[in-house]
Amino acid sequence: MLFKKNRRAVVVKRTPDKEQYKILGLFSDTVVHTDDQGFVSPMYGDDNYDNALNNRVIDKPVSQYEAFSASGKIKKDEENPYFEFRTVNERNRKRAKEEPVKEEIKAEPIKPLSEIFNEDKDTDSEENLEPKKIIHYEDNSEVKDIDKGLMEDLFHYTPTSVTREYGKSNSESSTSSFEEENDNEFDSSENKGTYPKVEFIEKDNTEFDYSNYKYPPLSILHEPIIMATNNIENVRHNCDVLNQTLKAFKIDGQVEEYTQGPTFTRYAIGLAPGVQGSKVENLQNDFQRSLRAISLRIQNPIPGKPFIGIEVPNEKRRTVNLKELLTTREYEESHDPVLIPVGLDVEGRAIYSSITDWPHSLIAGATGSGKSIFINNVVTSILFKATPDDVRFFFIDPKQVELQAYSNIPHLLCPIISDPKQGIPALKWLVDEMNRRYTLFREYGGIYKLKDWNEARKKDTSMEKLPVIVCIIDEAADFLMTAGQEAVDAITFLVQKSRAAGIHITLAMQKPIASVLSSVIKSQATTRFAFKVISRADSMVILDETGADELLNHGDMIYYSDGMQYRCQGAFVDKEEIAQIVDWVIKHSGPQKFAFNPKNLEKKDDSQSSINIDEKFADVARYVVKENRCSTNAICRQFHFSYNRADSIVLTMEQFHIVELNQGTKPREVLVDEYELEEILRKLGF
């Protein structure tokens, strides 16, 4: 309700037809005394009945209380038992003499609220009394205007300011209604005689043009802090210690040169002819003890040099900021929207890599190693050079922590997925998108990859714009174990074929698990980013060799690509910088337009999927519930099934929530009792 009304005054209703205004009267011309009709007023006794409300049509505005009279007007000299109305009527007559009521007013169609509130003309002028056009609303109803002067006389309202709010749907907008009444809304004295705040919602359905897209400025990032790390005395001391250790173990060699980076210093050991490099590798613990280093890594040999490298951590390590890597000439001159700054190597040179060259990657690192910071570097560096038409992100974040800061950027292909069950249909959608793109390439002819398609699109603008899809799955090992074999099959299929279609998969995990990372996935994910891991076994899984377990924390990594290893220090970007970048992108770009919604895909997949239930399913389920344990091997022995058949029945029981999801080596827990099981079997027709 938009207007303050006296509760005992006239009640005005807005009707969708072309009738005049109706004012509800309390009495009819004839009073029917029946027990089923009417209301007995306890104030005036049992002989006085109030008939049901009847609509009374009036042709002109009347006083507020004339509607209570059966004849339309209460005369002063008339004997009326309702003496309280006599006093009210006298007061109304005095006011009518001071402000005479117009004899004839035509009903006007209701004007839009924006015109009523912004009207500067005099409401008593003859120009405003002319009928206006009828407004047709979305429900094809016709609503008439009420004269503003009439509303002032009846309701004593004063208009308030109207605000506009953008970004909401039209269904949330407020509409005027004379039929809705809220007794609590205008009880306070603060709201007396004023309109409630009205919000006009405008929805932007137009396509946003990213040709004039404003990229985030580098001034958002913090300035790099350059620290003096050249400690000549410490370096010379370490050279002497290394030479003495080689001499003590009777190895003919010495330190030839050194290179100092932001995190560690590499000493190059030159060996005499005939001396095996494995002898130096076997002395790794002895070198670490002699140097009193917290960690030490031996590189045999240094790529491109005839030396063995011994990497020793610096006493004071320098922090590498992201802006330091984004202000280089190589990055600024590159037009690749997915060029990623990896970090600084031991010689202080910036290392870059394009996602299109990966084409898929693995990221592994324990807590505090810098894995999450590197993922933020990948995303933010793309936001600095790519529009939503160029790159789209596909995020799966089971922890709901690392990637949630990007939930509102327009570069998202779909909402961030946190439920493993939603990840399965979403990955299937990626598979369908990959096949669709290959169909487009084949129909166009002469195109074999996304780069060729974009080149052809420059000549033919009618071609569909196909962005690069960067799929990042955080905690991939846990996700694949929870989602099951369907997710593993979808990712395996994608890493085998999606490179040319412009879909690139990145699997990030704290602990790499060999059973999850199959040989097919590892053979296709040729790019590896290994941060510090807990054990050598984890290093073997991610790098196929040791070394990642000897790394330092806080961004120290081994970048493996095309058979070459590069140890470098990754850039650091804090949460404040990420928030500023995201805010800039949201403010200077169009609305989010998702290609699909994982929740809808999950419902569709559930409705269309059919489950083939084994004929012995009921017997096996009863056996599992009775024994209160679910073991595939026990089912094979009890029912003489093959392992595949028993595993299929167990998966079916998992879908009907008879047993819990697979938790690795942990046995499945039975979730129902015998009575609940029989109810499930009855619904399934057993």
Side-chain angles (χ1 to χ4, degrees):
M1 184 177 68
L2 296 179
F3 309 108
K4 171 69 176 66
K5 303 191 296 291
N6 193 324
R7 305 304 298 170
R8 301 176 60 186
V10 182
V11 180
V12 181
K13 295 184 64 177
R14 188 181 67 183
T15 57
D17 52 11
K18 298 182 179 181
E19 297 179 3
Q20 291 179 322
Y21 297 103
K22 297 179 179 181
I23 297 182
L24 300 180
L26 292 178
F27 300 95
S28 61
D29 296 335
T30 59
V31 180
V32 181
H33 298 278
T34 59
D35 295 336
D36 297 333
Q37 182 180 10
F39 170 77
V40 178
S41 175
M43 179 182 297
Y44 304 108
D46 297 339
D47 296 332
N48 297 292
Y49 287 84
D50 292 339
N51 198 20
L53 295 177
N54 294 322
N55 295 332
R56 181 175 301 280
V57 181
I58 62 173
D59 296 331
K60 61 180 181 178
V62 295
S63 179
Q64 298 184 20
Y65 301 100
E66 291 184 66
F68 292 93
S69 174
S71 60
K73 185 176 180 182
I74 298 177
K75 298 180 180 180
K76 183 176 181 181
D77 55 351
E78 181 180 356
E79 294 183 1
N80 195 331
Y82 307 105
F83 60 89
E84 60 270 19
F85 290 130
R86 192 177 303 133
T87 304
V88 175
N89 192 30
E90 291 176 357
R91 184 169 61 251
N92 293 340
R93 287 179 180 178
K94 293 180 180 181
R95 186 173 58 185
K97 292 180 180 180
E98 299 175 358
E99 298 178 3
V101 183
K102 296 180 176 60
E103 295 182 357
E104 188 175 4
I105 299 178
K106 297 181 180 180
E108 297 179 359
I110 295 178
K111 295 180 289 185
L113 294 176
S114 59
E115 296 184 9
I116 294 177
F117 297 157
N118 297 327
E119 186 176 9
D120 296 330
K121 298 181 180 181
D122 185 9
T123 56
D124 296 332
S125 63
E126 298 180 357
E127 180 180 356
N128 292 329
L129 299 179
E130 297 180 359
K132 297 186 179 180
K133 295 182 180 180
I134 297 177
I135 302 173
H136 293 269
Y137 288 88
E138 294 181 355
D139 57 354
N140 297 325
S141 61
E142 298 178 354
V143 183
K144 301 178 181 180
D145 264 14
I146 298 177
D147 181 51
K148 185 176 179 182
L150 176 60
M151 289 189 293
E152 289 180 354
D153 293 337
L154 295 180
F155 304 112
H156 307 288
Y157 74 93
T158 55
T160 57
S161 60
V162 180
T163 60
R164 292 180 179 268
E165 184 173 344
Y166 299 91
K168 296 184 180 179
S169 60
N170 293 333
S171 61
E172 301 177 5
S173 59
S174 301
T175 57
S176 61
S177 175
F178 293 98
E179 298 177 354
E180 299 179 359
E181 297 184 5
N182 189 349
D183 295 337
N184 298 327
E185 185 176 0
F186 293 104
D187 288 345
S188 62
S189 59
E190 297 179 358
N191 295 330
K192 187 175 181 180
T194 59
Y195 288 125
K197 182 180 290 187
V198 181
E199 297 178 353
F200 290 97
I201 310 301
E202 295 186 4
K203 185 177 180 180
D204 185 15
N205 295 323
T206 59
E207 294 291 337
F208 189 82
D209 184 13
Y210 290 104
S211 58
N212 297 325
Y213 179 80
K214 294 182 179 180
Y215 298 98
L218 294 179
S219 58
I220 295 177
L221 301 176
H222 298 330
E223 293 294 333
I225 301 176
I226 306 299
M227 298 176 58
T229 58
N230 294 324
N231 192 341
I232 302 300
E233 295 182 0
N234 186 36
V235 171
R236 290 178 178 177
H237 172 73
N238 290 340
C239 291
D240 295 338
V241 171
L242 290 174
N243 291 332
Q244 292 175 7
T245 304
L246 290 172
K247 185 177 180 180
F249 286 94
K250 299 180 181 180
I251 297 177
D252 190 3
Q254 63 179 0
V255 178
E256 299 291 343
E257 62 182 24
Y258 69 90
T259 305
Q260 192 171 22
T263 306
F264 61 92
T265 301
R266 186 179 65 189
Y267 300 90
I269 306 297
L271 300 178
V275 179
Q276 296 179 352
S278 58
K279 292 183 178 181
V280 178
E281 293 184 19
N282 296 333
L283 298 177
Q284 178 175 350
N285 295 334
D286 299 295
F287 287 133
Q288 184 174 349
R289 183 182 68 252
S290 301
L291 295 172
R292 300 178 182 180
I294 59 175
S295 177
L296 188 140
R297 178 175 177 266
I298 295 179
Q299 188 179 17
N300 182 23
I302 299 175
K305 295 183 179 182
F307 304 127
I308 296 177
I310 299 180
E311 299 171 350
V312 181
N314 296 332
E315 291 185 355
K316 295 182 180 179
R317 58 188 303 177
R318 181 172 69 87
T319 302
V320 179
N321 290 348
L322 182 60
K323 187 174 183 179
E324 184 177 350
L325 301 179
L326 300 184
T327 53
T328 61
R329 183 176 181 181
E330 180 180 357
Y331 182 82
E332 293 177 350
E333 294 181 353
S334 175
H335 299 286
D336 187 0
V338 290
L339 184 66
I340 306 301
V342 179
L344 295 180
D345 63 359
V346 65
E347 298 179 359
R349 296 177 301 183
I351 299 178
Y352 300 93
S353 179
S354 178
I355 292 181
T356 56
D357 297 333
W358 289 0
H360 312 291
S361 61
L362 300 177
I363 304 175
T367 303
S369 61
K371 172 180 62 68
S372 301
I373 298 297
F374 179 74
I375 294 177
N376 289 327
N377 289 342
V378 173
V379 178
T380 53
S381 59
I382 292 176
L383 294 178
F384 274 103
K385 299 195 69 173
T387 68
D389 287 340
D390 299 329
V391 178
R392 286 297 183 98
F393 291 112
F394 178 92
F395 291 152
I396 296 180
D397 185 16
K399 290 195 306 183
Q400 305 183 29
V401 175
E402 304 298 342
L403 300 174
Q404 296 302 317
Y406 309 101
S407 58
N408 294 324
I409 61 175
H411 295 71
L412 290 180
L413 185 68
C414 67
I416 299 177
I417 301 171
S418 57
D419 188 359
K421 294 182 180 179
Q422 297 179 5
I424 297 175
L427 290 173
K428 292 181 179 179
W429 186 93
L430 278 183
V431 174
D432 295 338
E433 174 65 13
M434 176 189 67
N435 295 329
R436 187 185 73 87
R437 291 189 176 192
Y438 282 132
T439 302
L440 292 176
F441 296 167
R442 183 173 61 254
E443 291 177 352
Y444 192 86
I447 294 179
Y448 304 98
K449 55 184 178 180
L450 182 63
K451 185 177 180 180
D452 298 338
W453 176 272
N454 292 332
E455 292 294 333
R457 188 178 181 276
K458 295 179 180 179
K459 301 178 182 178
D460 186 3
T461 56
S462 63
M463 298 172 61
E464 180 183 355
K465 177 65 176 179
L466 299 178
V468 177
I469 298 177
V470 179
C471 174
I472 300 179
I473 304 177
D474 195 16
E475 300 299 334
D478 296 338
F479 167 74
L480 295 178
M481 292 178 61
T482 305
Q485 190 62 34
E486 286 187 275
V488 176
D489 295 341
I491 290 180
T492 303
F493 192 70
L494 285 170
V495 298
Q496 287 178 319
K497 296 183 60 179
S498 64
R499 173 179 183 175
I503 302 175
H504 306 280
I505 311 297
T506 297
L507 304 179
M509 61 201 76
Q510 288 189 6
K511 180 178 177 60
I513 301 176
S515 60
V516 175
L517 297 177
S518 61
S519 58
V520 177
I521 295 178
K522 292 181 65 176
S523 63
Q524 298 297 328
T526 57
T527 302
R528 317 281 176 81
F529 299 93
F531 294 83
K532 181 178 178 55
V533 293
I534 298 176
S535 62
R536 292 188 177 184
D538 295 342
S539 180
M540 290 294 297
V541 174
I542 188 67
L543 289 177
D544 297 327
E545 62 181 40
T546 61
D549 54 312
E550 303 293 340
L551 295 175
L552 306 174
N553 288 320
H554 308 295
D556 187 20
M557 78 172 88
I558 295 178
Y559 166 51
Y560 179 86
S561 178
D562 298 332
M564 300 290 293
Q565 285 190 11
Y566 307 91
R567 185 178 180 183
C568 54
Q569 174 65 37
F572 175 75
V573 53
D574 59 14
K575 296 181 180 179
E576 181 182 353
E577 292 176 307
I578 295 175
Q580 292 180 356
I581 295 172
V582 170
D583 290 343
W584 175 276
V585 172
I586 294 174
K587 292 179 181 178
H588 296 81
S589 60
Q592 283 184 313
K593 295 183 179 180
F594 299 131
F596 66 95
N597 193 327
K599 295 182 180 179
N600 298 336
L601 292 180
E602 184 183 9
K603 296 178 181 178
K604 183 178 179 181
D605 186 69
D606 293 340
S607 61
Q608 295 181 353
S609 61
S610 60
I611 303 176
N612 297 324
I613 302 178
D614 194 280
E615 58 183 4
K616 294 291 185 179
F617 173 78
D619 298 336
V620 175
R622 291 189 180 100
Y623 169 77
V624 169
V625 174
K626 182 179 179 181
E627 297 294 330
N628 198 23
R629 69 187 186 95
C630 181
S631 173
T632 306
N633 294 327
I635 295 174
C636 294
R637 292 192 301 267
Q638 180 69 21
F639 296 93
H640 304 287
F641 289 163
S642 64
Y643 184 86
N644 293 335
R645 183 179 180 183
D647 185 65
S648 177
I649 295 176
V650 171
L651 292 178
T652 306
M653 289 191 294
E654 176 185 306
Q655 294 180 6
F656 290 109
H657 303 286
I658 299 175
V659 296
E660 68 175 356
L661 299 176
N662 184 19
Q663 301 293 335
T665 58
K666 182 181 177 181
R668 297 174 185 262
E669 181 182 353
V670 180
L671 303 177
V672 298
D673 55 19
E674 294 180 357
Y675 297 100
E676 295 174 340
L677 174 62
E678 293 301 329
E679 182 66 19
I680 295 175
L681 295 178
R682 185 185 63 81
K683 294 180 180 180
L684 295 177
F686 287 97

